[in-house]
Structures are given as C-alpha cells and as structure tokens.
Amino acid sequence: MKRHYVWLIGLLISTIAQAQQPLALIPQPVSVQTQPGTFALTRSTAIRYNKPAGQAVADRLASQLSRPTGFPLGAKAGSGSGIQLNLTDTPDAQLGPEGYRLSASPKGVVITANQPAGLFYGAQTLLQLLPKEIESAAVTRASWAVPAVQITDYPRFGWRGIMLDVSRHFFSKDDVKRYIDEMARYKFNTLHWHLTDDNGWRIEIKSLPKLTEVGAWRVARAGHFGDRTDPQPGEPVPYGGFYTHDDIREVVAYAQARNVTIVPEIDVPGHSMAALAAYPELSCTKAAVSVNPGTPFADWYGNGTFKMKVENTLNPSDEKVYEFLDKVFTEVAALFPNPYIHVGGDECYKGYWAQDPGCQALMKKLNIRHVEDLQGYFMNRVMKIVQAKGKKMIGWDEILEGGIASDATVMSWRGIKGGIEAAQAGHNVVMTPSTFAYIDYLQGDPTIEPPIYASLRASKSYSFEPVPDGVDPKFILGGQANLWTEQIPTLRHAEYMTYPRGWALAEVYWSPKTAKDWAGFVPRLEAHFDRADAAGVNYSRAIYDAIVRTSQKDGKLVVELESETPGLDLYYTIDDTMPDGRSPKYSQPITLPDGPITLRVITYRAGKPIGRLITLTRDAMQKRVGRF
C-alpha cells in the first residue's frame, strides 16, 4: 500500500510538472492558448465521433493510444465526455479542408474539423500533447495527461511534401509505409515517390515486362556511390527490387488512410539508363547499357554543366519512344489516384541528340536551331500523353527550357530562380530548392558526416521562405524536402538524414510565416528528439556540433566557432590534447600560430559534453578557407 501511495504521489508530481512545461508542438499551430488543468487519459476514456466520415480517424487514434498505454480503448459513434471527434455541419471557413480546433480541459478533449483530414491532423497534435512515452511500440507507464489548451490550426500551404528516391537504393514497401507514418505525424501530406532513374526501375509495367526483369536489378557494389567500378560481362545482378501493381495499391491505400497523397515520378528523357538497359532501341545509339551501380558515368564541370560517358536519354525523334511512354503512363495513371504524374525533365544531356541524324532531321522539321529546344518538344509531347490519362504534369524546373504550356506545374530545385520564372509565366509551383530542401546533403561538419558534395544545416532549412518577394502567392502550391538516396542504403539512415531537417521544413510549410523563430524552435526540436527515441526513429544531433569557419588575415589562419543551438559553450585545444570543460573556452576568433597545428573542438551544455568532437589539421583548415 505504501509503495502504491508513493507511486501515486510521483504520478501527481509528474502530471503537475507536465502541465507547467511549455508545449512542444511541431509544426507550431496558428493559435495556442494554454489554460489551467489537465485531462487524464484512463482505461475508461471513451473515444467518439459524431459522423461516419470520422470513424477511420477515431479508430486509428484509439489504436495509437491503446498500444503504449495498454488501455482497451475503442471508438464508437455518438457524443459525450472523453475524446470527441466532430465534423462540422456548416463548414468553418477559417479552417479549410485540413484545419482543426482542439479544446482540451479536465472534462475531455474535443477536436472539430470540416473534413476527416482536419480530424487526422488534430489527432496528431493531441498525440504530441501527451508525454513522449505515447510514441512507444510497447506498453509502458507514464502520466497520460493532456494539458488544458485551446488550439486553432490550419496549414499555410496545401502541398507539404517529402520526396523519397527508391531508384538508387530500393526500399521495401514496409520501409515506405514506416516513412509515411513518420511524415504524417508532422502533417506532411505528399509523398513524391521517385520510382525510376539510372540506377533502377522500381515499378511494374505489365505491358513492358523487361523494365523490371532487367531494369530493376544491378550488380552488387560496395563503397562510395559514384566511385564504384563498372559492371563486367556476365556478372550476376542480385541487387535491386521493384513494386508490383498490388504493392503500389497497398502503399497508396496505406498513405490515403494517413492523408498522404503519393505523386509518382517517371524520370524522362534523361536519367533513363535503367529503362535503356531493358530497351536499348529507345536511345539514339541503340547501344547496350547496364543498370548503373554507382559508377562515375558523367563528368561534371562545377557550373551545372556535364557530359555523359554513357547514354542515358530517350530519343526524342523516335515515335517508338512515345508509344513506350504511353504504355508506361497508362499503367501509372491507373495505379495512382492523385491528380499529378511527375515526369522528371532534369539534367538531360543532349550530346547524343546533337549527333543523331533523326534528331537533326526533327530539328529541321520543327525549324529550331538549338538542340536544347528538343527538350521543349519532348516535354510537350509527354504532357499530352499525361493529360490524355486524366492527369496533370509536374516536372523539375528544366521543363521550362524550350517552352512548356502554362498548365504544367513546375518543381523549382535549382534555387528559387526557376520557381520565380515559372510563377511569373503563370505556372503553379512547388518550391524545393536544393539550398534549403535537399536533405541528402551534409547536416554537420564534413569530417564527421558521411561524405556528399554539399551541406545544409537544420537552421538553414528552417529559415526557408517558399514565397519569393514579388511573386503572387497564389501560384506557390507549397514546398517539399527531397531525399536522394545515392548515399542512403537503409531506412535507418534515411531517417537520420530526414530528421530534424524534415521537422524544420514541416513547420515552414504548415505554420504561419510570422511564427518562425529558430531560438524558440530548438527547445521544441529537442523535445522531439526524446519522442523519436521513444518511437525508435533515427535522427541527427548535428545541431549540437560546433561550426568551424576559417579565413586568412595578414598571412595568418583565423578560426571562428559557433553552434546552431543557442547557449552552448565551445571548448577547444591546439596543443594536441583532448578538449573538455576546462580547456580554453571560445569567445572570439582564434589566430593560429605557425606550425603543424591541429584544432579540436567540442560543445558543452550545463557543464556536460553534448556535441561531437571535431578534429581539423592545419591543412584541413586551410582548405576550408571561405568555404563553410
């Protein structure tokens, strides 16, 4: 009995402490008003919905609450105390199709919305109001208390997406489902599924069976993607995989139940090496190629231009190419109920077109002088095919080159310039510039992160503004994060690269522009580190690491240190000792003495180390002058 009272007192203290904590919601709602008291979730709590359209959300919420609490919760029609999900009789114009109101008091929780999507997003907020243990996959003990609060919330943008590339590395349908679960928790509503590229064709096309018989498989290679050796004649091709029609339908239904729309991408006319491995006759040279395992198949010149060593483009002058694409898009359109099909259009190398007699003849027929204009002809042909299937075409900003009809939607990835031009020309735009939204980039110091060619810190993702100055906001559908997977072979690492930058972008795309504040976001971000731990979701802690910048002044090497996370102390050494909390504390730029200096830096908070150790030789520091 004594132990029971001690436990009850501890539970009461925990409940009071929780009620006093600031709310750690991501993305930040439009309006939050905290009030005294809490609502206690118990095994007798009822979950009710007022209309049949709310049942699916109520059932899912009951399941999510039952798993960690162990309470036998279920959902039923009607009204009453406990947790009530209400769809409005008369639409609330402020909320729109995805907004909600959440009212929590000691008597219960009421979520009100115009549409089931709004109920779903209100339920995600309710889960975040509960302690982190609610994320557990097993029964656990916690104070299941919801702080009293009044929330009004609705999204800033209708397109809130993440792109998952499954061509470079294949992810099973269960991996994709888990990824959808994670993004839906943070109110993302679009999964852009990059299904085809040079490194694998991942979707079954029954009328073109070789696309998956040949194009879905490649030789096994280890090591850094982009530096691997070429396939050898007769070498086995064990690595890969693809999704059957039934797999696609299953994943699409799974996503729909979580208010996530899947936009498939078939990347053409470039990035088609896997398709050409299956059907080489669709290229200009007709030469046999292999599904690429990550070899250096192009020379990049540093200014965005490149030369392909192996042909990876479809032939725009061959009518059989358009017959092929008609078959592909017929089956794709039937599998994905959303309005869009993404057709790629990026990084199309035109050197083989320039040498092809058929392409030259087509240029003469079209009265065009530049081979680059053939892409405009190709993309307009593709758009007509897509539209004939009852779909809208969306592509990367290169589809603007050579001219494209204004009803094509543009995804701006090469900075924001393409998005500005597209919007000014009357195109709808999804803003996804590499400078803010490419979450495959390094997120910490290059010496301690898996190598890739560019960097993007979480704070910069958070600073993104999707509506450029001078652009009519009505043309900006929203934005998305892009996860290219050349260097991402597993779901675990996909999670590491997605979060916390995905959480930062979730707030960019959902919350009011005026709500953004990095210093205020970091404590909420840290609370979600704890929630991710409870859920078993991987993430990066690079926001705790030191940022090391170097410059040259009066012939001396100068080091400047900072951290993304406010309030950290930075300790360093240059005497070949390991830094700790009693080493020199950084306060101003460090002018390094001559000699074979090695800089070591670590961050501390409240007297405890929190960041990773960064070690840089003089040569390494010299090479990064002006770069970071």
Side-chain angles (χ1 to χ4, degrees):
M1 181 65 72
K2 182 178 180 181
R3 286 196 300 270
H4 182 67
Y5 284 131
V6 169
W7 178 81
L8 284 176
I9 292 170
L11 185 63
L12 178 61
I13 293 172
S14 174
T15 302
I16 294 171
Q18 179 185 332
Q20 293 172 341
Q21 291 293 318
L23 303 182
L25 301 176
I26 298 176
Q28 182 76 1
V30 172
S31 171
V32 179
Q33 296 178 340
T34 57
Q35 298 179 335
T38 62
F39 167 71
L41 182 70
T42 70
R43 62 189 310 105
S44 60
T45 297
I47 301 174
R48 297 184 174 90
Y49 53 92
N50 72 329
K51 295 184 179 182
Q55 180 177 354
V57 176
D59 286 342
R60 186 168 307 284
L61 178 61
S63 175
Q64 289 175 302
L65 295 175
S66 296
R67 184 177 61 246
T69 63
F71 300 156
L73 303 176
K76 57 184 178 180
S79 300
S81 61
I83 298 173
Q84 180 72 44
L85 306 184
N86 287 337
L87 289 170
T88 57
D89 293 322
T90 302
D92 183 331
Q94 185 182 26
L95 298 183
E98 295 183 295
Y100 63 93
R101 298 186 194 277
L102 188 153
S103 174
S105 72
K107 295 181 179 179
V109 176
V110 179
I111 300 173
T112 305
N114 296 328
Q115 300 290 337
L119 293 181
F120 179 84
Y121 293 128
Q124 306 319 302
T125 297
L126 173 58
L127 291 166
Q128 289 190 21
L129 290 170
L130 286 157
K132 64 181 185 296
E133 289 82 3
I134 202 68
E135 307 289 350
S136 175
V139 175
T140 186
R141 177 177 288 182
S143 167
W144 306 116
V146 176
V149 66
Q150 298 287 328
I151 294 174
T152 298
D153 201 13
Y154 46 86
R156 182 182 177 196
F157 296 105
W159 187 300
R160 306 180 303 279
I162 299 182
M163 187 217 71
L164 177 63
D165 167 22
V166 295
S167 171
R168 277 45 181 262
H169 287 97
F170 179 68
F171 291 80
S172 72
K173 65 180 179 182
D174 288 337
D175 284 345
V176 177
K177 286 179 179 180
R178 178 176 168 93
Y179 200 75
I180 290 168
D181 278 333
E182 293 165 9
M183 58 187 281
R185 284 288 186 102
Y186 291 90
K187 303 183 175 70
F188 285 102
N189 67 354
T190 303
L191 175 69
H192 172 178
W193 207 359
H194 186 81
L195 291 164
T196 74
D197 214 296
D198 298 315
N199 314 105
W201 184 283
R202 304 299 180 203
I203 177 171
E204 177 187 31
I205 303 297
K206 291 181 182 291
S207 59
L208 297 161
K210 288 171 66 177
L211 283 173
T212 47
E213 291 171 359
V214 176
W217 307 96
R218 65 182 191 235
V219 298
R221 289 289 184 273
H224 191 266
F225 202 96
D227 296 327
R228 298 172 179 177
T229 57
D230 290 324
Q232 300 302 305
E235 187 176 0
V237 286
Y239 186 86
F242 65 92
Y243 309 104
T244 66
H245 281 201
D246 286 342
D247 292 335
I248 297 286
R249 294 187 188 97
E250 182 180 332
V251 173
V252 166
Y254 190 89
Q256 286 176 323
R258 290 150 182 80
N259 289 283
V260 172
T261 293
I262 298 184
V263 175
E265 181 181 355
I266 306 297
D267 201 351
V268 293
H271 289 281
S272 295
M273 201 178 301
L276 295 177
Y279 297 99
E281 64 271 20
L282 301 178
S283 67
C284 288
T285 64
K286 320 299 185 196
V289 295
S290 300
V291 179
N292 192 273
T295 70
F297 58 72
D299 291 326
W300 287 87
Y301 302 125
N303 59 354
T305 62
F306 64 101
K307 179 180 179 180
M308 288 296 302
K309 301 176 182 178
V310 182
E311 190 173 10
N312 75 335
T313 49
L314 300 175
N315 182 350
S317 70
D318 189 343
E319 285 301 310
K320 289 185 171 55
V321 166
Y322 303 104
E323 294 170 10
F324 164 84
L325 292 175
D326 188 81
K327 292 178 180 179
V328 170
F329 289 126
T330 294
E331 297 190 32
V332 171
L335 289 168
F336 293 93
N338 89 90
Y340 292 95
I341 292 178
H342 201 298
V343 298
D346 61 313
E347 297 177 333
C348 175
Y349 178 67
K350 303 170 183 71
Y352 293 97
W353 296 359
Q355 300 169 11
D356 181 70
C359 289
Q360 294 302 308
L362 177 60
M363 289 174 62
K364 186 175 180 179
K365 178 181 176 182
L366 297 172
N367 195 28
I368 57 177
R369 297 177 57 190
H370 302 291
V371 70
E372 288 77 10
D373 292 334
L374 275 180
Q375 180 158 347
Y377 167 81
F378 178 91
M379 298 313 299
N380 277 291
R381 289 283 303 267
V382 170
M383 185 168 69
K384 290 178 181 177
I385 295 172
V386 169
Q387 290 176 334
K389 313 304 174 190
K391 300 294 186 180
K392 300 177 183 178
M393 187 181 90
I394 184 170
W396 303 109
D397 55 57
E398 285 97 329
I399 67 173
L400 294 169
E401 298 169 6
I404 192 74
S406 63
D407 47 358
T409 299
V410 174
M411 200 167 265
S412 183
W413 74 276
R414 295 178 298 177
I416 62 173
K417 181 174 178 289
I420 294 172
E421 293 175 356
Q424 291 173 343
H427 294 275
N428 285 331
V429 177
V430 177
M431 297 298 286
T432 177
S434 60
T435 44
F436 295 96
Y438 268 43
I439 57 174
D440 59 311
Y441 285 2
L442 291 167
Q443 52 198 321
D445 196 275
T447 61
I448 52 176
E449 291 285 324
I452 198 167
Y453 52 87
S455 295
L456 174 61
R457 294 187 177 271
S459 56
K460 186 165 185 180
S461 289
Y462 189 76
S463 72
F464 178 40
E465 170 46 49
V467 181
D469 291 340
V471 170
D472 189 336
K474 75 178 183 181
F475 291 111
I476 307 300
L477 300 181
Q480 71 179 33
N482 292 330
L483 187 68
W484 301 102
T485 61
E486 287 93 337
Q487 299 299 118
I488 302 174
T490 66
L491 177 65
R492 190 78 179 152
H493 194 57
E495 293 172 341
Y496 176 86
M497 299 302 288
T498 301
Y499 305 111
R501 291 177 295 190
W503 300 333
L505 289 169
E507 186 143 310
V508 168
Y509 301 143
W510 178 281
S511 302
K513 178 180 178 180
T514 55
K516 283 202 302 184
D517 169 35
W518 174 251
F521 180 66
V522 169
R524 290 186 283 126
L525 192 66
E526 293 182 288
H528 284 259
F529 286 168
D530 293 339
R531 300 184 76 88
D533 288 338
V537 174
N538 200 14
Y539 58 91
S540 167
R541 296 170 62 89
I543 64 164
Y544 295 129
D545 298 338
I547 299 172
V548 182
R549 295 189 174 93
T550 60
S551 60
Q552 202 80 31
K553 186 176 182 181
D554 299 328
K556 295 288 187 179
L557 194 59
V558 178
V559 175
E560 294 181 64
L561 304 178
E562 63 176 309
S563 173
E564 284 184 278
T565 301
L568 300 189
D569 297 317
L570 296 93
Y571 295 96
Y572 70 95
T573 61
I574 56 173
D575 59 1
D576 278 344
T577 62
M578 298 299 288
D580 62 17
R582 296 189 179 184
S583 299
K585 182 179 177 180
Y586 179 80
S587 59
Q588 61 185 15
I590 308 161
T591 300
L592 296 179
D594 295 334
I597 297 294
T598 296
L599 173 74
R600 292 179 174 85
V601 186
I602 193 167
T603 57
Y604 271 60
R605 176 193 273 166
K608 300 291 184 181
I610 193 168
R612 293 173 292 183
L613 175 69
I614 296 173
T615 303
L616 294 169
T617 64
R618 174 181 285 278
D619 286 346
M621 288 186 282
Q622 193 71 52
K623 288 177 182 176
R624 67 170 58 191
V625 168
R627 289 182 57 206
F628 296 101

